[in-house]
Amino acid sequence: MARPRFLPDNFTLTLIAVITLASLLPVSGGAAHAFAWITNLAIALLFFLHGAKLSREAILAGAGHWKLHLLVFACTFILFPLLGLAFKPLLAPLVGQELYLGMLYLCALPSTVQSAIAFTSLARGNIPAAICSAAASSLFGIFLTPLLVTVLMDAHGSAGSSLDAILKISVQLLLPFVAGQVARRWIGGWVGRNKNWLKYVDQSSILLVVYTAFSEAVVEGLWRQVSPTTLAWLVLACCLLLAIALLITHLCGKWMGFNQEDRITILFCGSKKSLATGVPMAQVLFVGANIGLLILPIMLFHQIQLMVCAVLAQRYAKRPESVAQMMGQVDP
């Protein structure tokens, strides 16, 4: 039986199931402490595998396209934070302070890696440049996101020391990533051969963090604080944020004279935000805060960006090959 087209992907359905489970059966007390330790280990494993999977050869293949990478970085780490600040007068009164801070946190995150590359590949964009840009965004985000969180949230009294944040991120996320890069020499081939099932390790780590964070939030009264109306405003804000980012990345790529393949890469790498990085990083950055509220915007944005970008990638993929070649010749 064919899968209905309106159904989300399996990971999205599982994520919804985990949120439902955390809402009905939240973990608390001593069990919550045990889950916190397990979650920290899962996060370390997640970034270790990211390091082991990252091919230095593939990164170097696209590293020379500096103009494209600078534009993607500007969209990811400058455009999004500015949009987040611009949303404050309208959004903060509608969704409340904590959810608005969650939107600011979303705007400070790096780009996705796997989905940005996958959509660029499907749309026949510049794949080596996408690999380099997305991977570098994820790596530099380990340092830039805590700094941006401090800058964006200091005005609200909601951020700690950026130096402390970077130190925590370095110990809990960067060290496992570097260890994975070192271990790639011995396990890189095995990781490549088994990537089809290793992706479930990545997804399981994210789901575990989501369950732990939402359990704590539910115990603290998450769903009493987020009404259906508030949730609807938050979804609308995420849709608007993505639409503006897609429009600006498209126009900038065109105005700066990039060819069609490069414009596709800029669109998919410069308009996306990483759930895989955002959820575990929030666990490190916001100790003692209501993490469930802070990660709700990135969870919503993640699903919206996947659905919208899937449609866009399929439309790009249907363009005639001859047209793509002609545009590549015309555009500098």
Side-chain angles (χ1 to χ4, degrees):
M1 182 178 176
R3 182 190 182 94
R5 294 183 63 182
F6 62 84
L7 274 183
D9 61 275
N10 290 334
F11 179 67
T12 299
L13 293 174
T14 307
L15 193 61
I16 294 171
V18 166
I19 294 171
T20 304
L21 179 63
S23 300
L24 298 175
L25 296 172
V27 64
S28 59
H33 291 293
F35 264 81
W37 277 100
I38 297 171
T39 299
N40 289 334
L41 292 175
I43 291 171
L45 177 60
L46 172 68
F47 278 82
F48 175 82
L49 289 175
H50 279 323
K53 286 186 292 187
L54 190 59
S55 168
R56 279 165 282 187
E57 294 78 10
I59 292 176
L60 291 175
H65 210 340
W66 61 268
K67 188 178 176 183
L68 180 149
H69 302 318
L70 284 178
L71 179 55
V72 170
F73 266 53
C75 292
T76 304
F77 295 114
I78 298 177
L79 172 64
F80 266 96
L82 290 176
L83 289 175
L85 292 173
F87 274 26
K88 181 184 178 182
L90 180 62
L91 185 60
L94 293 173
V95 301
Q97 181 75 352
E98 285 191 277
L99 283 175
Y100 171 68
L101 291 176
M103 285 294 292
L104 285 181
Y105 176 60
L106 154 66
C107 292
L109 289 172
S111 176
T112 60
V113 178
Q114 290 94 336
S115 60
I117 296 169
F119 285 134
T120 300
S121 176
L122 175 60
R124 304 205 312 270
N126 187 335
I127 300 172
I131 293 172
C132 178
S133 190
S137 175
S138 182
L139 181 59
F140 283 108
I142 292 175
F143 304 101
L144 291 177
T145 295
L147 289 172
L148 284 172
V149 165
T150 301
V151 171
L152 293 173
M153 297 188 180
D154 256 354
H156 306 277
S158 302
S161 165
S162 59
L163 185 60
D164 290 343
I166 291 174
L167 182 61
K168 291 178 182 178
I169 294 292
S170 298
V171 171
Q172 297 192 35
L173 305 185
L174 184 59
L175 283 182
F177 181 89
V178 172
Q181 275 282 285
V182 173
R184 179 176 169 78
R185 178 179 178 182
W186 298 281
I187 67 172
W190 178 83
V191 169
R193 291 190 301 272
N194 293 277
K195 61 183 179 181
N196 287 335
W197 69 265
L198 282 175
K199 69 179 181 181
Y200 296 112
V201 177
D202 288 5
Q203 294 176 356
S204 298
S205 301
I206 296 169
L207 293 172
L208 183 58
V209 175
V210 168
Y211 177 69
T212 304
F214 263 80
S215 290
E216 181 180 353
V218 168
V219 170
E220 294 177 359
L222 170 66
W223 298 123
R224 292 194 299 272
Q225 301 173 54
V226 182
S227 66
T229 303
T230 300
L231 194 60
W233 281 120
L234 191 61
V235 170
L236 183 61
C238 288
C239 291
L240 182 59
L241 181 65
L242 179 62
I244 295 173
L246 288 169
L247 178 62
I248 292 178
T249 51
H250 170 73
L251 293 177
C252 285
K254 192 172 182 179
W255 289 339
M256 295 179 69
F258 288 99
N259 63 34
Q260 180 77 340
E261 288 71 30
D262 287 345
R263 293 205 299 267
I264 289 170
T265 301
I266 293 164
L267 183 77
F268 290 122
C269 292
S271 64
K272 298 170 73 61
K273 291 292 182 176
S274 175
L275 177 73
T277 300
V279 172
M281 193 176 282
Q283 193 84 6
V284 179
L285 286 174
F286 303 112
V287 177
N290 191 341
I291 298 176
L293 282 174
L294 287 167
I295 65 173
L296 185 57
I298 180 58
M299 293 177 65
L300 293 173
F301 188 85
H302 175 76
Q303 312 311 325
I304 295 166
Q305 74 182 3
L306 287 182
M307 291 185 286
V308 172
C309 289
V311 173
L312 290 174
Q314 289 169 356
R315 290 189 63 182
Y316 277 117
K318 291 177 181 177
R319 75 189 190 278
E321 187 69 26
S322 58
V323 173
Q325 291 174 347
M326 181 182 68
M327 293 186 72
Q329 293 169 359
V330 172
D331 291 343

